[in-house]
Amino acid sequence: MKQVIVSVLKGMMLLLMWTFSMCLFAQTMTVKGVVNDVKGESLIGVSIMIQGTSIGTVTDSEGNFTLSNVPSDAVLEVSYVGMVSQVVTLNGRRTLNFVLQEDVEALEEVVVVGYGTQKAKELTGSVTSVKGNKIREIPVTNVLNSLAGTMAGVTINTRSGEPGLDNPSIFIRGKNTLGTNAPLIIIDGVPRDGLERLNPNDIENITVLKDATAAIYGARAANGVILVETRSGKSGKTTFNFTYNAGFQQDTRVPNMTDAYTFASIQNEIEVQNGRPAIYSDQQLELYRNGTDPYYPNTNWYSYITKKFTPQNRMDLSVDGGNEKMTYRASLGRTFQDGHYKHGITEHEQYNLQSKIDANVSEYVSFGLNLRGTVLDGIRPYNYNDIYPHIFLYHPTWFPKWPGTDYLAPGRDDDNLINRVSDSEGYRKSKSKMLQSTLTYRINAPWVEGLYLNGSFNYDYSNSFNKVWYEPSYVYYRDEDTGEYTRGRTGFGADDPSLSVDTRNNTMFLWNIMLNYEKQLYQHSITGLVGYEQMSSNYDYLLGSRSRFVSTKIDELFAGTSDRNYMNNDGSAGKSARINYFGRLSYNYAQKYLLQFTFRYDGSQNFPKNKQFGFFPGVSAGWNISEEAFMKEVDFISYLKLKASYGKMGNDNVPAYQYLAAYGFGSNYVIGDVDVNGLNALNVPNPNITWEIAKTLNVGIDFYLWNALRGEINFFNSKRSNILTKRSAVVPEYTGLQLPDENIGVVRNRGIELEISYNSTYRDIQYFVSGNFSFARNKVIFTDEAPMAEEYQLATGRPLGSRLLYKSIGIFKDWDEIENYPHLLGAQPGDIKYEDVNKDGEINSYDRIRINETADPEIIFGLNAGITYKNIHLSILLQGQEKANFLNTTDWTTSLSKGAGNYYQWRVDNHWTPENTDATMPRSSESRSENTQASTHWLMNAGFLRLKNVEVGYSLPSNWINRFGLQNCRVYLSGNNLFLIYDHMKKIGYDPEVPSAWYYPQQRVYNIGINLTF
């Protein structure tokens, strides 16, 4: 009986295998055809693809094509630059002939705008976008970092490469306000956090609204709006897509520190110049130089504590499909990043899950459900913020471990870097969970064509859990007489173990409803919508902490002391709400004359009742000159449009309730030598506070030439008023009195943007080149600043963030030069020479000048190029910036002083000594000196051009992979932040996007991946 059962099972398995193989091979065939234009001329290089896959071919020199192993019911997509694409279902046909008509490429493309979409040719505002496939080419874990250099007017600077903490700064058209310049981010139609941690494989496109097109978002739109649309399912057979890539991270650039011999020599130099004997003898210096004695080390602390390569990887699996009634898509992704410290615990792990269903219930009703979940899990050392300062401050004459032992040796503060990067001094664990859900609906009016109702219900929930453990750390001390080692406390770390645990919960509920109407009457086209939206959000926070743990082995709250003096708890909660009314009316005549009006009547709880609502209108117009009869004979101009917009937008991203008096509760009074809890005022209220107002004018031109060259030029002028700032001129800061913020600041911002692209095909080669350039300069028109002794020191009339610096004009060579030129009190030969700007014969604070350039660039640019030859694809992205600088204000790094830690090699090179009076760097000194003043000497040009990304991919031929049930198999290599083509900081070893002298550097990523579709 057993044998019979086994035989039956074997037979069933064979039957299943045969059925599966028949499904894979029996229904495929070879398809042939020809592609011509309307004149009957053959088209070379036309792309013929099987829909939903990367399987395809191109036409030869006579317009013919052959495609093998094609399913008999496949859908073919036929596309060619400058032509209208066609989609056809085979239905068993083996021979097809196509006639393609001329089209203005991409102008019929639908672009996402606020609460809807528009055709690109009908846009009258300044809108830029990037497709999801471009984002996926860049192997970074933070989506925002993949946008650098891809869009005109969008400035993105990556200031850190630390896993989980690599959020860049992002500005749209530069800075516009003294306050928050962050843009509003809309994900699937809802203001949401978490763009940086979206799965790139789930993104359809990212669009940026830069002018009056953003006015429909009212009081939150002044800094621009970023719209993110995630991918939906497509009709057709169920398709699985699997992607895996593995990469290695490497620091882009690391400053060079002095070696032990140079460091010791500088220490001797300082002592001798101050009339004291040298610390190190010539024999000791030689031991540091030749490295023959382990007790005279030459430790490169950066190389010792960090890895050369650090792993990261990403895995994604998605499935989509559907029919005319319903489409679906679901995806799961996992990302892992390791920290680059040896002996370190830094890690970041991320999980993404998304499910999206769109269903047509009937001819008149459709629904959509979008669920997205994100889990972030990270750990880092307790003192992660000061690891880099200590790496650069540790002396190269110290060793990590006592020679011949595994005992950690004391370094700075009697600590050891291994303690700092590991969990020996504690850790910080964080875990966050986020759920974002959206239910959309659309109801078509059966009695009025073009009239429909749509909207959404959205509920988001997020939770974060943070656990901070702090414990004593230890090193070994050596008795010089006996050579014995004793374990002892470091000069850092906790006095006793302590633990802090906190959790935060946030919820948001938003719903909206919109009435839409679309009507085409002869050559008149009208579309419009009016809507209502309401949002409420809640948060709560709870914290508990204990110290004096008996043991470091149990890091949970219950194991801490029960002494109330060493226990703490805290908590808070809050609510917020918004309501608004919005609308848009668009009209065009014969696709020639375009007019659009938007508005939003917005309410914000941040302000008093009489100032909670504001009206934010926007108007734009366009003239499609190419649609005029007199342009029809101009063959090379496919499309030409003039456009202009003007809008009023707001910024309410300020601390709430400043119109109310706030009080705190604590030990604020002493009665009878006893601290007594009570209330104290926390602020001076401003009952007239309201939002900032941005009035923005944009004038532009769009063009498309020779069916290949597409471009857009925009000029903009924005005036931001009602900016919150204090009246410093009335009550100076030195009085200690704090006036409330008032809406008195004014800033103007002007600039130009250019985007241009070229697409073409030559035989089997398809290629494109696109570039963007932006220039934006702001100017403070009014801020109530305290009077300056010199008019040139005023911030008014200068860009936001302009600095007051002494102007360096060289190095004092000797005493004679000092005596013959004004100088700071106590100046010595070898000190920086500052210009006497006001010519009063003295050097003091009145000689500081305003420097216009800041760390935020005025000029940004990018170049993206790609080429496809048969199954091989190569793409390149360049990114750059100009008109930006970095001011090295860290005193330790700008001085060669005793006890300052190690020195940067660039600071030591050509520094002043009695034997080197023609130096370009100031002298060494006993302590921090005049040379540490903030001056132009320490100002560094942060302009650069970077090879931001390269990807080369190869799609295996379909006849190789079809036999394995695969529709597509693509392997690729990519690299991010590969190298700087030019910059001004190579000598000193800083990355041009450096935020400070001590930082976790940007990461260069080498990546290999595979993508399978089946």
Side-chain angles (χ1 to χ4, degrees), residues 209 211-219 221 598-600 616-618 647-649:
L209 311 181
D211 65 343
T213 53
I216 200 168
Y217 289 103
T598 63
F599 78 90
R600 189 177 183 108
F616 301 93
K648 175 184 174 183
M649 292 152 284

Side-chain angles (χ1 to χ4, degrees), residues 16 52-53 240 255 353 466 472 493 539 605 642 657 724 852 870 872 909 915 969 980-981:
L16 287 172
T53 75
F240 293 87
L353 174 66
N466 299 285
Y539 88 90
Q605 65 156 29
L642 298 179
Y657 308 120
L724 281 175
N852 289 344
K870 295 185 177 180
I872 301 174
D909 291 341
E915 298 76 34
C969 178
L980 288 153
I981 298 173

Side-chain angles (χ1 to χ4, degrees), residues 11 40 95 228 302 338 445 448 452 541-542 545 614 677 680 698 760 845-846 888 919 932 974 982:
T95 303
V228 183
Y302 196 94
D338 196 4
V448 180
Y452 63 93
Y541 164 76
L542 184 65
S545 65
N677 288 340
N680 68 306
N698 190 92
S760 190
S845 61
Y846 302 149
N888 191 348
T932 62
S974 60
Y982 87 82

Side-chain angles (χ1 to χ4, degrees), residues 82-115:
M83 298 290 180
V84 177
S85 298
Q86 293 187 22
V87 178
V88 61
T89 302
L90 287 180
N91 291 329
R93 289 178 293 175
R94 298 175 181 271
T95 303
L96 296 170
N97 296 323
F98 295 97
V99 177
L100 299 186
Q101 296 182 342
E102 186 176 331
D103 181 31
V104 181
E105 187 259 351
L107 295 178
E108 297 297 328
E109 175 186 352
V110 173
V111 178
V112 177
V113 293
Y115 299 100

